[in-house]
Amino acid sequence: MHLHLIDWLIVIVSFLAFAGIAMWSGRQAKSVSGFLVSGRCAGRYLLTIAAGMVWIDAINIIGMFELYFVGGFPAMSWGLIIQPPLAVIMAVSGWAVYRFRETRAMTVPQYLEMRYSPGVRVSAGIVSWIAGMINFGIFPAVSAHFVMGFCGLPKDFALASLTLPTFPVLMVAMMAVTLLFVFHGGHVTVLVLDFCQGFFINIAAVLLVLVIGFTWLNWSEVLDVLNQAPADASLLDPARTSNVKDFNVWYFVISTIGMFYNRLSNFQGQAFDAAARTPHEGRMGNVLGLIRWQTLCLFFMVMVLAAQVALKHPAHASLGQSITAWLDVLERQHGAAVRGQMTVSTALAFILPVGGKGLLLAIMIAAMISSKSAFIHSFGSIFVQDVVLPFRKTSPEPARQLRWLRLSMLGVTVFAVLFGCFYRQTEKILMYFALSSTLWLGGSGAILIGGLYWKKGTTQGAYAAMGVGGVFGLAGFALMQGWEKWTGSPPQLSIAGHAIALNPQWWLLITMLVSTATYVGVSLLTRRGASFDLDRLLHRGAWRDADSSLDDEPQLSLWKRICGVTPEFSTSDRRTVYAFYVWVFAWFGACVIMIALSLSGKVGNADWAGFWKIYLIALACLLVISTVWLGMGGIRDLKTMFRLLKETGHASDDGTVPGSAAIETTGPITPDKAADPA
């Protein structure tokens, strides 16, 4: 299972190339705005690939492996066919992101100060930072477990006269390298490095899909394995998944609601939202990002199918025994949860040929650096910008502010390493994310979305919603960790007479509903005088810059504003959007028809197998086309960004809000407009 010299060469060369790019790009960040949001100079293609890397850490890849290994093709149907119609409508309409970019805030908590008050900003900064740090805490640990399992590294190693544990040393090494990259150039380095690594991952994913598809996967063997699943836990038929644990239809229904509710709540991506050259560029970046995510899910599924065949098909019994023996070792060393996380990647270490293992390891290392750099940058920035600076009467000098930002990022890194050393994870990765995020995500959507779209929302309503979300988040930790120990049975919900396991995903939904009701109710009870002036916050109407090249959001019908394209879309933009609409809704319609026929007993596993084969082939074609298209566009955007960085970058654009608290009746105090290249 150990890597060949060729595999190590692939890993080393790719890493050195990324390190060189990071060192070069860091020289371009010469201002606070450059360090925080890349000077607001990023184009759509650059954002599509770079922002997508926030969600493609090694832990996210392993989480997707877990999801598809447990849920099979039904999980793909809900996540890639049933969910995307709403996702594409949100992206085309610019749901939340467009208006956030119009505020010209650098961080979401800064927008909260502009919309509500400095106290809301600080409170949101503290709660989101705590939740984000707990969420981020398992990233280094999962990454280190992957490297150890995939490379066959021992539990300990000798260095000089010392015997050192491999696990913490790996965590420290990975986090130290990532921190150095972020230190050097802030968000400019994060953006450029994430784009380059994302482009590399797309190319490597194409190669690995081809290698696995042509050298290992036999479709008949795949079907033999998938047909072994129980009838009510099908790995082929989405209509027959009532006994699938955790990753069933309800998981994706709640995920869809959360996608709408928490569009601005995941702060690790906020700098990318604020870095767009214009609101429309950010909106198009989100549309194209959906296309890229769909194609990368092909990579996840193909890898999972290969692992399923290796572990479960009789024709590969000896190989399956070898993989199982190695997983047994991992379980004895690190527990059952780690075994579940490493199942697919361990199988791939036995399956992939020379060169293929190196490509997969290079993908994972690139993903580790990209996502971790975004997290370190985001939460380091939040602590300084949204917790420390609001308490100061004057803004610090740019050099001092940059020094504080770097120290804060160092603190984030140290915490993540210590958390990874001492916390023993027992949940599936995606379930842990749902649980750890509830503290912030449960109440944040109400105040973030409400603040942009509802002029009657008040500061008191925001405080109340955050308080309810925080209390429910803490209660969720206690409930999920202790209920079974206290009662001897897992927590359950009863819906229409059906008992449903109360997992972290369900608890997140309950928290979101209660927090939203609290925000609306308290806002209506505490509203005094005139409503908030949203035009001032969004720089519209009388508050629009006289020389701005951006038009106000067109006053179209509600239906067109939700589903249509506005006059801002160029001819090529409209063609892209219309083509994606056709793709999304065609597959949505076909899947819904298949589910309806399955429920009526007119189609079975054989029919679903044919459907999924066609869908995988279509995704493979889209993966190749999008890799070339988005990559070339991103290179053009890089050139434009570096040119704009030389022309912009005002010292006054530092992410603080001049003056006093936001005034609910007359509107907020906004940051320096001169720094916005729009």
Side-chain angles (χ1 to χ4, degrees), residues 289-328:
L290 292 175
I291 299 175
R292 180 171 181 259
W293 177 253
Q294 286 209 337
T295 60
L296 284 179
C297 285
L298 167 72
F299 164 74
F300 303 144
M301 179 54 80
V302 169
M303 298 301 108
V304 167
L305 293 178
Q308 293 267 26
V309 170
L311 283 164
K312 299 179 181 179
H313 199 278
H316 308 287
S318 60
L319 177 61
Q321 291 171 1
S322 299
I323 298 171
T324 301
W326 189 259
L327 290 172
D328 290 340

mmCIF file of all heavy atoms in Angstrom, residues 289-328:
data_model
loop_
_atom_site.group_PDB
_atom_site.id
_atom_site.type_symbol
_atom_site.label_atom_id
_atom_site.label_comp_id
_atom_site.label_asym_id
_atom_site.label_seq_id
_atom_site.Cartn_x
_atom_site.Cartn_y
_atom_site.Cartn_z
ATOM 1 N N GLY A 289 -20.342 28.288 -10.253
ATOM 2 C CA GLY A 289 -19.905 27.403 -9.184
ATOM 3 C C GLY A 289 -20.801 26.183 -9.042
ATOM 4 O O GLY A 289 -20.331 25.085 -8.699
ATOM 5 N N LEU A 290 -22.092 26.350 -9.310
ATOM 6 C CA LEU A 290 -23.003 25.204 -9.265
ATOM 7 C C LEU A 290 -22.641 24.177 -10.329
ATOM 8 O O LEU A 290 -22.716 22.970 -10.109
ATOM 9 C CB LEU A 290 -24.445 25.673 -9.467
ATOM 10 C CG LEU A 290 -25.052 26.516 -8.334
ATOM 11 C CD1 LEU A 290 -26.440 26.994 -8.735
ATOM 12 C CD2 LEU A 290 -25.122 25.718 -7.047
ATOM 13 N N ILE A 291 -22.267 24.664 -11.502
ATOM 14 C CA ILE A 291 -21.867 23.755 -12.579
ATOM 15 C C ILE A 291 -20.632 22.966 -12.167
ATOM 16 O O ILE A 291 -20.566 21.743 -12.323
ATOM 17 C CB ILE A 291 -21.587 24.548 -13.872
ATOM 18 C CG1 ILE A 291 -22.857 25.281 -14.330
ATOM 19 C CG2 ILE A 291 -21.067 23.625 -14.972
ATOM 20 C CD1 ILE A 291 -22.648 26.193 -15.525
ATOM 21 N N ARG A 292 -19.654 23.649 -11.617
ATOM 22 C CA ARG A 292 -18.412 22.970 -11.229
ATOM 23 C C ARG A 292 -18.660 21.950 -10.125
ATOM 24 O O ARG A 292 -18.107 20.847 -10.152
ATOM 25 C CB ARG A 292 -17.385 24.006 -10.763
ATOM 26 C CG ARG A 292 -16.063 23.369 -10.334
ATOM 27 C CD ARG A 292 -14.998 24.400 -10.094
ATOM 28 N NE ARG A 292 -13.752 23.745 -9.719
ATOM 29 C CZ ARG A 292 -13.298 23.637 -8.477
ATOM 30 N NH1 ARG A 292 -13.995 24.143 -7.471
ATOM 31 N NH2 ARG A 292 -12.152 23.031 -8.221
ATOM 32 N N TRP A 293 -19.502 22.296 -9.149
ATOM 33 C CA TRP A 293 -19.758 21.369 -8.051
ATOM 34 C C TRP A 293 -20.421 20.099 -8.563
ATOM 35 O O TRP A 293 -20.087 18.990 -8.121
ATOM 36 C CB TRP A 293 -20.619 22.039 -6.989
ATOM 37 C CG TRP A 293 -20.982 21.110 -5.870
ATOM 38 C CD1 TRP A 293 -22.193 20.546 -5.616
ATOM 39 C CD2 TRP A 293 -20.097 20.595 -4.873
ATOM 40 N NE1 TRP A 293 -22.129 19.725 -4.516
ATOM 41 C CE2 TRP A 293 -20.851 19.734 -4.029
ATOM 42 C CE3 TRP A 293 -18.743 20.780 -4.593
ATOM 43 C CZ2 TRP A 293 -20.294 19.070 -2.950
ATOM 44 C CZ3 TRP A 293 -18.201 20.112 -3.510
ATOM 45 C CH2 TRP A 293 -18.964 19.274 -2.704
ATOM 46 N N GLN A 294 -21.361 20.227 -9.482
ATOM 47 C CA GLN A 294 -22.026 19.043 -10.015
ATOM 48 C C GLN A 294 -21.027 18.102 -10.679
ATOM 49 O O GLN A 294 -21.092 16.883 -10.505
ATOM 50 C CB GLN A 294 -23.102 19.447 -11.026
ATOM 51 C CG GLN A 294 -24.339 20.045 -10.392
ATOM 52 C CD GLN A 294 -25.590 19.795 -11.203
ATOM 53 O OE1 GLN A 294 -25.541 19.563 -12.402
ATOM 54 N NE2 GLN A 294 -26.730 19.821 -10.547
ATOM 55 N N THR A 295 -20.100 18.660 -11.430
ATOM 56 C CA THR A 295 -19.141 17.796 -12.126
ATOM 57 C C THR A 295 -18.177 17.127 -11.152
ATOM 58 O O THR A 295 -17.788 15.971 -11.366
ATOM 59 C CB THR A 295 -18.346 18.609 -13.169
ATOM 60 O OG1 THR A 295 -17.634 19.678 -12.520
ATOM 61 C CG2 THR A 295 -19.279 19.207 -14.212
ATOM 62 N N LEU A 296 -17.787 17.829 -10.078
ATOM 63 C CA LEU A 296 -16.872 17.215 -9.117
ATOM 64 C C LEU A 296 -17.543 16.076 -8.354
ATOM 65 O O LEU A 296 -16.868 15.152 -7.899
ATOM 66 C CB LEU A 296 -16.350 18.274 -8.139
ATOM 67 C CG LEU A 296 -15.276 19.217 -8.684
ATOM 68 C CD1 LEU A 296 -14.873 20.231 -7.635
ATOM 69 C CD2 LEU A 296 -14.046 18.442 -9.158
ATOM 70 N N CYS A 297 -18.866 16.133 -8.214
ATOM 71 C CA CYS A 297 -19.562 15.035 -7.537
ATOM 72 C C CYS A 297 -19.462 13.739 -8.339
ATOM 73 O O CYS A 297 -19.585 12.650 -7.768
ATOM 74 C CB CYS A 297 -21.020 15.405 -7.295
ATOM 75 S SG CYS A 297 -21.219 16.589 -5.936
ATOM 76 N N LEU A 298 -19.230 13.848 -9.644
ATOM 77 C CA LEU A 298 -18.955 12.648 -10.442
ATOM 78 C C LEU A 298 -17.698 11.962 -9.918
ATOM 79 O O LEU A 298 -17.654 10.727 -9.780
ATOM 80 C CB LEU A 298 -18.763 13.024 -11.912
ATOM 81 C CG LEU A 298 -18.171 11.936 -12.805
ATOM 82 C CD1 LEU A 298 -19.196 10.837 -13.058
ATOM 83 C CD2 LEU A 298 -17.674 12.514 -14.126
ATOM 84 N N PHE A 299 -16.671 12.749 -9.621
ATOM 85 C CA PHE A 299 -15.423 12.208 -9.078
ATOM 86 C C PHE A 299 -15.682 11.471 -7.763
ATOM 87 O O PHE A 299 -15.208 10.345 -7.566
ATOM 88 C CB PHE A 299 -14.422 13.346 -8.878
ATOM 89 C CG PHE A 299 -13.256 13.008 -7.991
ATOM 90 C CD1 PHE A 299 -12.237 12.181 -8.443
ATOM 91 C CD2 PHE A 299 -13.172 13.519 -6.703
ATOM 92 C CE1 PHE A 299 -11.157 11.855 -7.626
ATOM 93 C CE2 PHE A 299 -12.106 13.211 -5.883
ATOM 94 C CZ PHE A 299 -11.096 12.389 -6.349
ATOM 95 N N PHE A 300 -16.464 12.085 -6.859
ATOM 96 C CA PHE A 300 -16.763 11.435 -5.583
ATOM 97 C C PHE A 300 -17.460 10.090 -5.803
ATOM 98 O O PHE A 300 -17.100 9.078 -5.191
ATOM 99 C CB PHE A 300 -17.665 12.328 -4.723
ATOM 100 C CG PHE A 300 -17.104 13.688 -4.437
ATOM 101 C CD1 PHE A 300 -17.934 14.800 -4.379
ATOM 102 C CD2 PHE A 300 -15.755 13.879 -4.213
ATOM 103 C CE1 PHE A 300 -17.429 16.058 -4.120
ATOM 104 C CE2 PHE A 300 -15.229 15.136 -3.955
ATOM 105 C CZ PHE A 300 -16.075 16.230 -3.908
ATOM 106 N N MET A 301 -18.462 10.069 -6.678
ATOM 107 C CA MET A 301 -19.244 8.856 -6.880
ATOM 108 C C MET A 301 -18.422 7.748 -7.526
ATOM 109 O O MET A 301 -18.515 6.578 -7.120
ATOM 110 C CB MET A 301 -20.485 9.160 -7.715
ATOM 111 C CG MET A 301 -21.355 7.930 -7.994
ATOM 112 S SD MET A 301 -21.852 7.033 -6.488
ATOM 113 C CE MET A 301 -23.216 8.038 -5.937
ATOM 114 N N VAL A 302 -17.609 8.082 -8.508
ATOM 115 C CA VAL A 302 -16.793 7.063 -9.173
ATOM 116 C C VAL A 302 -15.816 6.435 -8.182
ATOM 117 O O VAL A 302 -15.613 5.210 -8.173
ATOM 118 C CB VAL A 302 -16.046 7.667 -10.382
ATOM 119 C CG1 VAL A 302 -15.001 6.692 -10.919
ATOM 120 C CG2 VAL A 302 -17.041 8.023 -11.487
ATOM 121 N N MET A 303 -15.206 7.253 -7.319
ATOM 122 C CA MET A 303 -14.285 6.721 -6.325
ATOM 123 C C MET A 303 -15.015 5.796 -5.341
ATOM 124 O O MET A 303 -14.511 4.741 -4.953
ATOM 125 C CB MET A 303 -13.605 7.860 -5.550
ATOM 126 C CG MET A 303 -12.756 8.803 -6.389
ATOM 127 S SD MET A 303 -11.391 8.013 -7.283
ATOM 128 C CE MET A 303 -12.005 8.102 -8.971
ATOM 129 N N VAL A 304 -16.229 6.189 -4.947
ATOM 130 C CA VAL A 304 -17.012 5.373 -4.013
ATOM 131 C C VAL A 304 -17.414 4.050 -4.652
ATOM 132 O O VAL A 304 -17.339 2.982 -4.019
ATOM 133 C CB VAL A 304 -18.267 6.149 -3.551
ATOM 134 C CG1 VAL A 304 -19.250 5.218 -2.850
ATOM 135 C CG2 VAL A 304 -17.867 7.275 -2.611
ATOM 136 N N LEU A 305 -17.836 4.085 -5.913
ATOM 137 C CA LEU A 305 -18.219 2.842 -6.596
ATOM 138 C C LEU A 305 -17.038 1.884 -6.687
ATOM 139 O O LEU A 305 -17.193 0.666 -6.512
ATOM 140 C CB LEU A 305 -18.756 3.159 -7.994
ATOM 141 C CG LEU A 305 -20.090 3.917 -8.052
ATOM 142 C CD1 LEU A 305 -20.460 4.211 -9.497
ATOM 143 C CD2 LEU A 305 -21.196 3.120 -7.372
ATOM 144 N N ALA A 306 -15.857 2.429 -6.950
ATOM 145 C CA ALA A 306 -14.667 1.584 -7.007
ATOM 146 C C ALA A 306 -14.408 0.917 -5.660
ATOM 147 O O ALA A 306 -14.084 -0.277 -5.581
ATOM 148 C CB ALA A 306 -13.462 2.415 -7.437
ATOM 149 N N ALA A 307 -14.564 1.691 -4.574
ATOM 150 C CA ALA A 307 -14.358 1.126 -3.230
ATOM 151 C C ALA A 307 -15.421 0.087 -2.899
ATOM 152 O O ALA A 307 -15.116 -0.953 -2.289
ATOM 153 C CB ALA A 307 -14.380 2.252 -2.199
ATOM 154 N N GLN A 308 -16.670 0.340 -3.287
ATOM 155 C CA GLN A 308 -17.747 -0.620 -3.035
ATOM 156 C C GLN A 308 -17.438 -1.964 -3.688
ATOM 157 O O GLN A 308 -17.591 -3.031 -3.075
ATOM 158 C CB GLN A 308 -19.074 -0.071 -3.596
ATOM 159 C CG GLN A 308 -19.609 1.168 -2.894
ATOM 160 C CD GLN A 308 -20.591 0.833 -1.788
ATOM 161 O OE1 GLN A 308 -20.549 -0.245 -1.220
ATOM 162 N NE2 GLN A 308 -21.455 1.778 -1.467
ATOM 163 N N VAL A 309 -16.998 -1.919 -4.942
ATOM 164 C CA VAL A 309 -16.695 -3.158 -5.671
ATOM 165 C C VAL A 309 -15.528 -3.884 -5.016
ATOM 166 O O VAL A 309 -15.557 -5.116 -4.831
ATOM 167 C CB VAL A 309 -16.388 -2.847 -7.150
ATOM 168 C CG1 VAL A 309 -15.839 -4.088 -7.860
ATOM 169 C CG2 VAL A 309 -17.645 -2.347 -7.856
ATOM 170 N N ALA A 310 -14.481 -3.149 -4.652
ATOM 171 C CA ALA A 310 -13.302 -3.780 -4.053
ATOM 172 C C ALA A 310 -13.630 -4.448 -2.718
ATOM 173 O O ALA A 310 -13.104 -5.519 -2.398
ATOM 174 C CB ALA A 310 -12.203 -2.743 -3.865
ATOM 175 N N LEU A 311 -14.502 -3.840 -1.946
ATOM 176 C CA LEU A 311 -14.807 -4.353 -0.614
ATOM 177 C C LEU A 311 -15.866 -5.452 -0.616
ATOM 178 O O LEU A 311 -15.842 -6.340 0.244
ATOM 179 C CB LEU A 311 -15.283 -3.207 0.287
ATOM 180 C CG LEU A 311 -14.194 -2.271 0.828
ATOM 181 C CD1 LEU A 311 -14.813 -0.985 1.360
ATOM 182 C CD2 LEU A 311 -13.396 -2.963 1.922
ATOM 183 N N LYS A 312 -16.796 -5.420 -1.564
ATOM 184 C CA LYS A 312 -17.982 -6.262 -1.443
ATOM 185 C C LYS A 312 -18.180 -7.286 -2.555
ATOM 186 O O LYS A 312 -18.990 -8.202 -2.389
ATOM 187 C CB LYS A 312 -19.229 -5.365 -1.368
ATOM 188 C CG LYS A 312 -19.240 -4.418 -0.182
ATOM 189 C CD LYS A 312 -20.483 -3.535 -0.184
ATOM 190 C CE LYS A 312 -20.482 -2.568 0.995
ATOM 191 N NZ LYS A 312 -21.689 -1.689 0.979
ATOM 192 N N HIS A 313 -17.486 -7.161 -3.686
ATOM 193 C CA HIS A 313 -17.750 -8.098 -4.776
ATOM 194 C C HIS A 313 -16.946 -9.390 -4.580
ATOM 195 O O HIS A 313 -15.747 -9.344 -4.270
ATOM 196 C CB HIS A 313 -17.410 -7.468 -6.130
ATOM 197 C CG HIS A 313 -18.064 -8.175 -7.271
ATOM 198 N ND1 HIS A 313 -17.543 -9.324 -7.831
ATOM 199 C CD2 HIS A 313 -19.213 -7.911 -7.945
ATOM 200 C CE1 HIS A 313 -18.329 -9.734 -8.818
ATOM 201 N NE2 HIS A 313 -19.355 -8.891 -8.904
ATOM 202 N N PRO A 314 -17.582 -10.548 -4.771
ATOM 203 C CA PRO A 314 -16.880 -11.833 -4.571
ATOM 204 C C PRO A 314 -15.653 -12.010 -5.458
ATOM 205 O O PRO A 314 -14.707 -12.704 -5.076
ATOM 206 C CB PRO A 314 -17.957 -12.877 -4.916
ATOM 207 C CG PRO A 314 -19.250 -12.172 -4.710
ATOM 208 C CD PRO A 314 -19.015 -10.745 -5.071
ATOM 209 N N ALA A 315 -15.678 -11.388 -6.646
ATOM 210 C CA ALA A 315 -14.535 -11.529 -7.556
ATOM 211 C C ALA A 315 -13.271 -10.889 -6.999
ATOM 212 O O ALA A 315 -12.165 -11.177 -7.470
ATOM 213 C CB ALA A 315 -14.877 -10.923 -8.920
ATOM 214 N N HIS A 316 -13.401 -10.033 -6.002
ATOM 215 C CA HIS A 316 -12.247 -9.338 -5.420
ATOM 216 C C HIS A 316 -12.163 -9.625 -3.925
ATOM 217 O O HIS A 316 -11.785 -8.746 -3.129
ATOM 218 C CB HIS A 316 -12.372 -7.834 -5.669
ATOM 219 C CG HIS A 316 -12.604 -7.461 -7.099
ATOM 220 N ND1 HIS A 316 -11.628 -7.544 -8.063
ATOM 221 C CD2 HIS A 316 -13.737 -7.034 -7.734
ATOM 222 C CE1 HIS A 316 -12.133 -7.165 -9.230
ATOM 223 N NE2 HIS A 316 -13.405 -6.858 -9.061
ATOM 224 N N ALA A 317 -12.496 -10.855 -3.542
ATOM 225 C CA ALA A 317 -12.564 -11.215 -2.125
ATOM 226 C C ALA A 317 -11.226 -11.033 -1.414
ATOM 227 O O ALA A 317 -11.171 -10.510 -0.292
ATOM 228 C CB ALA A 317 -13.051 -12.654 -1.981
ATOM 229 N N SER A 318 -10.132 -11.451 -2.048
ATOM 230 C CA SER A 318 -8.825 -11.344 -1.386
ATOM 231 C C SER A 318 -8.425 -9.885 -1.201
ATOM 232 O O SER A 318 -7.866 -9.509 -0.156
ATOM 233 C CB SER A 318 -7.758 -12.081 -2.206
ATOM 234 O OG SER A 318 -7.654 -11.515 -3.508
ATOM 235 N N LEU A 319 -8.717 -9.058 -2.208
ATOM 236 C CA LEU A 319 -8.430 -7.629 -2.087
ATOM 237 C C LEU A 319 -9.281 -7.016 -0.977
ATOM 238 O O LEU A 319 -8.792 -6.223 -0.162
ATOM 239 C CB LEU A 319 -8.712 -6.924 -3.413
ATOM 240 C CG LEU A 319 -8.518 -5.403 -3.436
ATOM 241 C CD1 LEU A 319 -7.082 -5.032 -3.117
ATOM 242 C CD2 LEU A 319 -8.933 -4.828 -4.790
ATOM 243 N N GLY A 320 -10.545 -7.386 -0.919
ATOM 244 C CA GLY A 320 -11.434 -6.881 0.124
ATOM 245 C C GLY A 320 -10.948 -7.255 1.507
ATOM 246 O O GLY A 320 -11.047 -6.452 2.450
ATOM 247 N N GLN A 321 -10.411 -8.455 1.654
ATOM 248 C CA GLN A 321 -9.892 -8.878 2.953
ATOM 249 C C GLN A 321 -8.680 -8.048 3.367
ATOM 250 O O GLN A 321 -8.528 -7.699 4.543
ATOM 251 C CB GLN A 321 -9.526 -10.358 2.901
ATOM 252 C CG GLN A 321 -10.739 -11.287 2.788
ATOM 253 C CD GLN A 321 -10.343 -12.726 2.513
ATOM 254 O OE1 GLN A 321 -9.148 -13.051 2.422
ATOM 255 N NE2 GLN A 321 -11.332 -13.600 2.370
ATOM 256 N N SER A 322 -7.821 -7.734 2.401
ATOM 257 C CA SER A 322 -6.647 -6.907 2.705
ATOM 258 C C SER A 322 -7.067 -5.505 3.148
ATOM 259 O O SER A 322 -6.510 -4.944 4.098
ATOM 260 C CB SER A 322 -5.742 -6.813 1.473
ATOM 261 O OG SER A 322 -5.279 -8.088 1.087
ATOM 262 N N ILE A 323 -8.055 -4.925 2.441
ATOM 263 C CA ILE A 323 -8.545 -3.591 2.806
ATOM 264 C C ILE A 323 -9.175 -3.622 4.195
ATOM 265 O O ILE A 323 -8.923 -2.743 5.030
ATOM 266 C CB ILE A 323 -9.564 -3.092 1.760
ATOM 267 C CG1 ILE A 323 -8.899 -2.962 0.389
ATOM 268 C CG2 ILE A 323 -10.166 -1.754 2.190
ATOM 269 C CD1 ILE A 323 -9.873 -2.685 -0.747
ATOM 270 N N THR A 324 -9.981 -4.648 4.453
ATOM 271 C CA THR A 324 -10.651 -4.768 5.747
ATOM 272 C C THR A 324 -9.644 -4.918 6.881
ATOM 273 O O THR A 324 -9.824 -4.347 7.975
ATOM 274 C CB THR A 324 -11.611 -5.968 5.736
ATOM 275 O OG1 THR A 324 -12.582 -5.792 4.695
ATOM 276 C CG2 THR A 324 -12.321 -6.118 7.068
ATOM 277 N N ALA A 325 -8.580 -5.676 6.638
ATOM 278 C CA ALA A 325 -7.554 -5.847 7.670
ATOM 279 C C ALA A 325 -6.904 -4.510 8.018
ATOM 280 O O ALA A 325 -6.649 -4.219 9.198
ATOM 281 C CB ALA A 325 -6.503 -6.846 7.191
ATOM 282 N N TRP A 326 -6.638 -3.700 7.007
ATOM 283 C CA TRP A 326 -6.032 -2.393 7.268
ATOM 284 C C TRP A 326 -7.017 -1.487 8.007
ATOM 285 O O TRP A 326 -6.630 -0.749 8.916
ATOM 286 C CB TRP A 326 -5.596 -1.753 5.959
ATOM 287 C CG TRP A 326 -4.772 -0.523 6.171
ATOM 288 C CD1 TRP A 326 -5.182 0.766 6.085
ATOM 289 C CD2 TRP A 326 -3.393 -0.467 6.537
ATOM 290 N NE1 TRP A 326 -4.156 1.626 6.367
ATOM 291 C CE2 TRP A 326 -3.043 0.893 6.643
ATOM 292 C CE3 TRP A 326 -2.417 -1.443 6.779
ATOM 293 C CZ2 TRP A 326 -1.759 1.306 6.989
ATOM 294 C CZ3 TRP A 326 -1.139 -1.025 7.118
ATOM 295 C CH2 TRP A 326 -0.818 0.327 7.216
ATOM 296 N N LEU A 327 -8.294 -1.548 7.650
ATOM 297 C CA LEU A 327 -9.310 -0.756 8.348
ATOM 298 C C LEU A 327 -9.445 -1.192 9.801
ATOM 299 O O LEU A 327 -9.699 -0.370 10.687
ATOM 300 C CB LEU A 327 -10.657 -0.876 7.631
ATOM 301 C CG LEU A 327 -10.749 -0.192 6.258
ATOM 302 C CD1 LEU A 327 -12.058 -0.554 5.560
ATOM 303 C CD2 LEU A 327 -10.629 1.325 6.401
ATOM 304 N N ASP A 328 -9.275 -2.487 10.055
ATOM 305 C CA ASP A 328 -9.314 -2.982 11.435
ATOM 306 C C ASP A 328 -8.206 -2.350 12.268
ATOM 307 O O ASP A 328 -8.404 -1.995 13.443
ATOM 308 C CB ASP A 328 -9.181 -4.501 11.458
ATOM 309 C CG ASP A 328 -10.411 -5.206 10.898
ATOM 310 O OD1 ASP A 328 -11.482 -4.574 10.850
ATOM 311 O OD2 ASP A 328 -10.286 -6.380 10.493
#
